[in-house]
Amino acid sequence: MATVISTLHGREVLDSRGTPTLEVEIELSDGSLGRAMVPSGASKGEHEALELRDADPKRFLGKGVLQAVRNVNENISKALLQKSFSDLKSLDDCLIEIDGTEQKKKLGANTILGVSLAFAHALARSQKRDLYLIFNELMGLRESNLSMPTPLMNILNGGVHANNGLEIQEFMIVPHGFSTFSDALRAGTEVFMHLKAKLHDQAYSTAVGDEGGFAPSLESNEMALELICEAIEKSGYQLGTQISLALDVASSSFFNRETEQYDFRWKQMRHLSGEVLIEFYKHLKAKYPLVSIEDGLDENDWGTWKKLTHELGPSTQLVGDDLFVTQKKYVERGIKEKVANAILIKVNQVGTLSETMDTMNLGSKHHYRSVVSHRSGETEDVTIAHLAVGSGCGQIKTGSLSRGERTAKYNELLRIEEKAFRRGRPIRFENAFRA
Ligand code: PGA
Ligand code: ZN
């Protein structure tokens, strides 16, 4: 079905950090409207596609996106208006061609992504189908591949998402041993509540960081895991069989390029080699039900990554975020060199939905799992909830159980699950870490 774009409009709105971001609206000739907003990271991978910002210090400390807005309303509008597109891929290809650079430096990946996302929403409206079904079809999958994802919930924040000194950026709970998404969500939320009470009782701060997790100044990274395990036990859930743990170390943020060491600064300065970090992860695995480690090593430290994968890969999900930046060429290298075994999927690291889905398909062909992910700077946009269900990838990382921009995705997943059940076509919950 060919689709003609009749209106295209970009505007500057705010994200969850109060930083400007792009919102795009597309109207098709049949009146279907699609609207979407673009997320933004803080611990960005070096090789991510370009996020275009105005750099005008008089507006939003240089973080405005008026140039991206102009790119949508002028250049892109000129090229797309009244044109007909048979599917999302043909629109994305056209955007890639207009930009013409590998990292989307001319128009900005945020600009291009805004249009790609809005068009996907408009298509779903036009076809009167749920967005996840559009993704399912575009990935060449069947409805039997749909699944509700296991959530990876970042309930304790450190790294650049907090100012508590902990090096590890995300301490996540993974409620996987449940039969529905809503049960998994409830369990995670109860743990979050118990953790809050525990922190409060021990006179730690219960203020939250960028992704809605608590950000207390704990004595050590390990103490974070200890407290989380206690909160899980207090909630009455079984550690390991029902709820496991995951980390996003985001180690590029404390990797010292000159010395090639990992600098742990909290409480006491320690310079660690990649090999010592691997031993640290093994130690954590022996003590806690740790099922997934993201960016355990620096994005350019491929040699040590290979060692990590060899030693921990068989027993642990090793996720490449900054390492792969959702781009096929880095995943191809990973496959070739046997590095990591899962890909973090962030739509704005690559800049179009079609390329995102290609990366996921490449991964699954080579048994690399995909984890669909938000960014630390988010909006109320819920596209990623649909991408997780439609792709059937089995996992979503969308923050903690507080802050509207995080719960927006969880709530959309609840709607998807409940509606499918009501229609008599339930979508199965994927236990991504069956014990
Ligand atoms: P970011 O962090 O969005 O700030 O890059 C998320 C992550 O590292 O997974
Ligand atoms: Zn990450």
Side-chain angles (χ1 to χ4, degrees), residues 43 169-170 248 250 294-295 321-322 344 346 397:
S43 69
Q169 182 179 286
E170 301 174 16
D248 179 4
E294 178 181 331
D295 282 352
D321 169 12
D322 295 348
L344 199 76
K346 290 170 164 169
K397 188 174 101 153

Side-chain angles (χ1 to χ4, degrees), residues 286-301:
K287 239 173 125 178
Y288 306 99
L290 184 59
V291 292
S292 177
I293 303 172
E294 178 181 331
D295 282 352
L297 293 162
D298 178 67
E299 60 204 319
N300 295 309
D301 194 3

Side-chain angles (χ1 to χ4, degrees), residues 156-169:
L156 215 146
N157 300 181
V160 300
H161 293 166
N163 56 3
N164 53 1
L166 296 179
E167 288 83 8
I168 293 178
Q169 182 179 286

Side-chain angles (χ1 to χ4, degrees), residues 153-299:
M153 300 160 151
N154 177 13
I155 60 170
L156 215 146
N157 300 181
V160 300
H161 293 166
N163 56 3
N164 53 1
L166 296 179
E167 288 83 8
I168 293 178
Q169 182 179 286
E170 301 174 16
F171 298 86
M172 292 174 275
I173 48 169
V174 188
H176 56 87
F178 296 88
S179 49
T180 64
F181 174 79
S182 64
D183 285 347
L185 182 65
R186 183 187 130 200
T189 310
E190 289 168 359
V191 174
F192 178 69
M193 290 167 159
H194 280 292
L195 181 61
K196 182 173 187 174
K198 207 162 256 307
L199 291 170
H200 180 80
D201 287 351
Q202 298 183 27
Y204 285 111
S205 162
T206 54
V208 296
D210 282 0
E211 296 189 348
F214 302 116
S217 281
L218 302 178
E219 299 308 305
S220 67
N221 293 289
E222 239 181 291
M223 186 178 169
L225 293 173
E226 209 54 60
L227 282 170
I228 291 172
C229 287
E230 286 170 21
I232 293 172
E233 273 159 8
K234 187 94 209 265
S235 323
Y237 294 106
Q238 284 159 11
L239 203 54
T241 46
Q242 286 184 299
I243 305 185
S244 297
L245 304 181
L247 297 175
D248 179 4
V249 184
S251 64
S252 296
S253 63
F254 56 88
F255 182 66
N256 184 328
R257 296 247 160 113
E258 264 144 50
T259 59
E260 300 201 336
Q261 304 261 298
Y262 294 84
D263 291 345
F264 274 62
R265 295 162 196 278
W266 185 228
K267 302 287 180 191
Q268 145 204 17
M269 185 66 162
R270 281 163 301 158
H271 310 284
L272 308 181
S273 68
E275 281 76 10
V276 171
L277 260 189
I278 295 176
E279 291 309 311
F280 176 56
Y281 300 143
K282 283 193 195 157
H283 160 77
L284 293 182
K285 256 203 87 84
K287 239 173 125 178
Y288 306 99
L290 184 59
V291 292
S292 177
I293 303 172
E294 178 181 331
D295 282 352
L297 293 162
D298 178 67
E299 60 204 319

